[in-house]
Amino acid sequence: MASMATFFVKTTFPSHSLTKSFETRFAPPSKVNVFVGVRSRIHPGLRVSSGLIEPDGGKLVELVVDHSARDLKKGEAFQLPRVKLSRIDIEWVHVLSEGWASPLRGFMRENEFLQTLHFNSLRLDDGSAVNMSVPIVLAIDDEQKQRIGDSKRVALFDSSGNPVAILNDIEIYKHPKEERIARTWGTTAPGLPYVEQTITNAGNWLIGGDLEVIEPIKYNDGLDHFRLSPSELRNEFAKRNADAVFAFQLRNPVHNGHALLMTDTRKRLLDMGYKNPILLLHPLGGYTKADDVPLEWRMKQHEKVLEDGVLDPETTVVSIFPSPMHYAGPTEVQWHAKARINAGANFYIVGRDPAGMSHPVEKRDLYDADHGKKVLSMAPGLERLNILPFRVAAYDKTQGRMAFFDPSRPQDFLFISGTKMRTLARNKESPPDGFMCPGGWKVLVDYYDSLVLSGNGTMPEAVPA
């Protein structure tokens, strides 16, 4: 069967130059005519919309400069004070440059940072609000701040000394680390992965401004063709004549329970009257913690899922979401949902403990397993998005396959956690038949074999900050 890359075509889009001056950092809002349903369940009277949902603020904010201006901008960058970017900083430049955070036009200034921390939203000029639940900020230290001085522009460089972007009309303000951590994660306990990677040892200042990204962000890891921008995804959905797009985010391998949820969702949308609902299978591709399966191996596993026919390639678009992972539970899941609006999704599937993790100190989950879906149903700025909570799927021992849990016969069901799944794969043990497609399971076993062959037999280190 054809490789997963052939199931969609990457389309080249022209870059867009930024205007030279801004009254506001947000794209002008437009009035949006979309349906709003009962968001915690499928509503039988929900009106079917024929077009893709509008992005936040009315249009996508794309921050890569026009090709003809790139040499000029590179020259300008070498004349400006420099800020060196970490790998995670570059991932955020990627997110901003393609419009995942629309209508945000760059790293947050203080007023945007405070609105995000305290309200999980940003107020537009017309008084409306868009959701924004995680700060997208750039930290600098005292020495960098002094070097910048009175300059109103800085150049952002990668670790190899290549110019990545120019930050214009900058504002430098205090980095309130403890407040940021407490409000984003709901705890300041030690051991939060993203905090340790990006905040604890970061500078005491934040720098915000309007971004001009010199070239599209590429990682040259063999996966760039999967990194479709919101604009490219919208084009792909239009080519497929999608009248609904339902997004499924994951950072784990796909098992047959996931597939059951996704195929059942499509059936429910067809029953509502949609003619061609398209699934956006959207694995997170930015920073993840050390014990998560790396992106390269997850993409191999997803490819096998489609090759084995577990999901239908005709109604599935597989793409990589470039955002880093916070593991901030109900706060972060709002960001995941909001970004998919900008990619054209009007339905979002949410499961148990989305974006959650175990408590870093105590033996318990950090977040209540049901709070993520409850928060999404009430979150400011997400009113246009229809939230589809998971139905609980487990392995039905009487049928030998994954099925929706039947509380009248709990003894017939086996729940296989992510930890259990990883343990089985590491030990080269097979899960029950019907839990995961054989090709997908082999990829997981091969991944853990690769750790042994590398000589350490342990989990790989997280992406360095």
Side-chain angles (χ1 to χ4, degrees):
M1 185 174 288
S3 72
M4 181 166 58
T6 66
F7 296 143
F8 54 84
V9 179
K10 183 170 174 63
T11 305
T12 302
F13 285 80
S15 301
H16 295 269
S17 296
L18 296 175
T19 54
K20 296 299 181 185
S21 62
F22 304 101
E23 283 194 5
T24 171
R25 302 187 66 225
F26 300 120
S30 65
K31 192 169 183 179
V32 179
N33 182 24
V34 296
F35 61 84
V36 179
V38 175
R39 304 171 60 227
S40 60
R41 58 188 172 92
I42 294 292
H43 192 283
L46 191 64
R47 180 167 65 86
V48 174
S49 172
S50 60
L52 295 178
I53 191 171
E54 292 284 347
D56 277 345
K59 69 177 183 180
L60 283 174
V61 172
E62 296 174 288
L63 302 177
V64 179
V65 300
D66 187 80
H67 192 278
S68 63
R70 289 176 189 174
D71 287 342
L72 174 64
K73 293 299 176 183
K74 284 181 183 178
E76 290 179 14
F78 282 103
Q79 305 303 315
L80 295 171
R82 297 188 186 188
V83 173
K84 183 179 176 181
L85 299 176
S86 71
R87 168 64 183 253
I88 294 176
D89 292 333
I90 289 175
E91 291 170 357
W92 283 122
V93 171
H94 186 178
V95 165
L96 291 164
S97 71
E98 294 184 339
W100 295 100
S102 293
L104 200 62
R105 303 195 67 91
F107 285 107
M108 291 177 174
R109 295 185 176 91
E110 188 173 36
N111 68 326
E112 295 153 345
F113 174 70
L114 292 175
Q115 288 181 71
T116 299
L117 275 191
H118 292 270
F119 310 131
N120 284 358
S121 61
L122 296 171
R123 185 69 63 186
L124 302 184
D125 288 344
D126 67 350
S128 64
V130 297
N131 191 271
M132 194 67 241
S133 62
V134 297
I136 301 180
V137 292
L138 180 61
I140 58 173
D141 59 25
D142 292 347
E143 181 181 340
Q144 289 172 310
K145 180 177 182 291
Q146 184 175 9
R147 194 162 59 243
I148 292 167
D150 295 331
S151 177
K152 290 298 182 183
R153 307 171 77 208
V154 298
L156 309 182
F157 279 72
D158 66 18
S159 59
S160 299
N162 301 309
V164 174
I166 293 173
L167 200 60
N168 296 297
D169 194 17
I170 62 171
E171 177 185 347
I172 297 175
Y173 56 101
K174 276 284 191 181
H175 185 183
K177 296 182 185 180
E178 184 177 20
E179 181 182 8
R180 177 184 173 189
I181 296 166
R183 288 193 170 274
T184 303
W185 282 269
T187 180
T188 56
L192 297 169
Y194 186 90
V195 170
E196 293 192 342
Q197 288 289 325
T198 65
I199 301 178
T200 301
N201 297 316
N204 294 321
W205 305 92
L206 297 175
I207 181 170
D210 300 314
L211 265 179
E212 292 179 291
V213 181
I214 295 171
E215 291 182 325
I217 302 297
K218 301 295 180 185
Y219 301 88
N220 301 311
D221 57 359
L223 299 175
D224 282 330
H225 61 289
F226 287 121
R227 294 184 173 96
L228 299 186
S229 70
S231 179
E232 290 167 328
L233 284 168
R234 285 172 172 270
N235 183 69
E236 182 63 26
F237 300 143
K239 282 169 52 181
R240 296 190 186 209
N241 296 313
D243 58 355
V245 176
F246 58 107
F248 185 83
Q249 158 152 322
L250 67 168
R251 67 175 197 273
N252 291 307
V254 174
H255 57 64
N256 289 352
H258 295 138
L260 176 65
L261 292 161
M262 288 181 268
T263 54
D264 180 70
T265 297
R266 187 169 196 276
K267 180 181 181 300
R268 293 160 71 191
L269 293 174
L270 289 169
D271 289 344
M272 288 170 57
Y274 288 97
K275 302 301 182 184
N276 191 30
I278 296 295
L279 166 64
L280 172 58
L281 184 63
H282 216 195
L284 184 135
Y287 161 82
T288 54
K289 57 188 175 68
D291 61 349
D292 281 351
V293 177
L295 177 65
E296 174 191 1
W297 289 92
R298 284 186 279 133
M299 294 305 290
K300 291 179 182 178
Q301 196 270 347
H302 299 345
E303 182 172 7
K304 293 299 182 183
V305 167
L306 275 91
E307 286 183 358
D308 288 358
V310 177
L311 293 172
D312 182 359
E314 296 300 321
T315 59
T316 303
V317 174
V318 183
S319 182
I320 294 172
F321 178 45
S323 176
M325 188 75 193
H326 282 64
Y327 305 92
T331 297
E332 184 175 16
V333 75
Q334 296 173 66
W335 158 241
H336 294 165
K338 173 250 172 48
R340 277 33 181 254
I341 291 176
N342 287 329
N346 49 355
F347 289 88
Y348 187 79
I349 304 174
V350 61
R352 179 191 179 278
D353 196 21
M357 58 172 283
S358 298
H359 195 284
V361 177
E362 303 171 17
K363 291 185 177 181
R364 62 178 177 86
D365 287 340
L366 184 55
Y367 305 106
D368 185 288
D370 292 326
H371 281 183
K373 63 185 178 185
K374 290 179 179 178
V375 166
L376 279 185
S377 72
M378 302 180 287
L382 295 182
E383 294 83 3
R384 299 182 296 132
L385 186 65
N386 288 271
I387 307 303
L388 301 171
F390 272 13
R391 294 171 65 188
V392 178
Y395 187 78
D396 187 338
K397 294 180 286 187
T398 67
Q399 300 183 50
R401 62 180 177 85
M402 298 297 287
F404 291 119
F405 178 69
D406 183 350
S408 68
R409 49 185 186 93
Q411 71 281 356
D412 293 335
F413 287 86
L414 177 65
F415 288 89
I416 301 175
S417 67
T419 300
K420 176 66 173 175
M421 178 177 69
R422 290 190 291 269
T423 300
L424 289 171
R426 188 183 301 112
N427 296 335
K428 296 187 179 181
E429 299 176 32
S430 296
D433 288 343
F435 172 74
M436 184 184 290
C437 67
W441 185 255
K442 184 178 184 303
V443 171
L444 280 189
V445 173
D446 288 348
Y447 163 60
Y448 288 107
D449 275 351
S450 74
L451 299 182
V452 175
L453 292 172
S454 69
N456 56 28
T458 62
M459 292 291 183
E461 292 299 317
V463 175

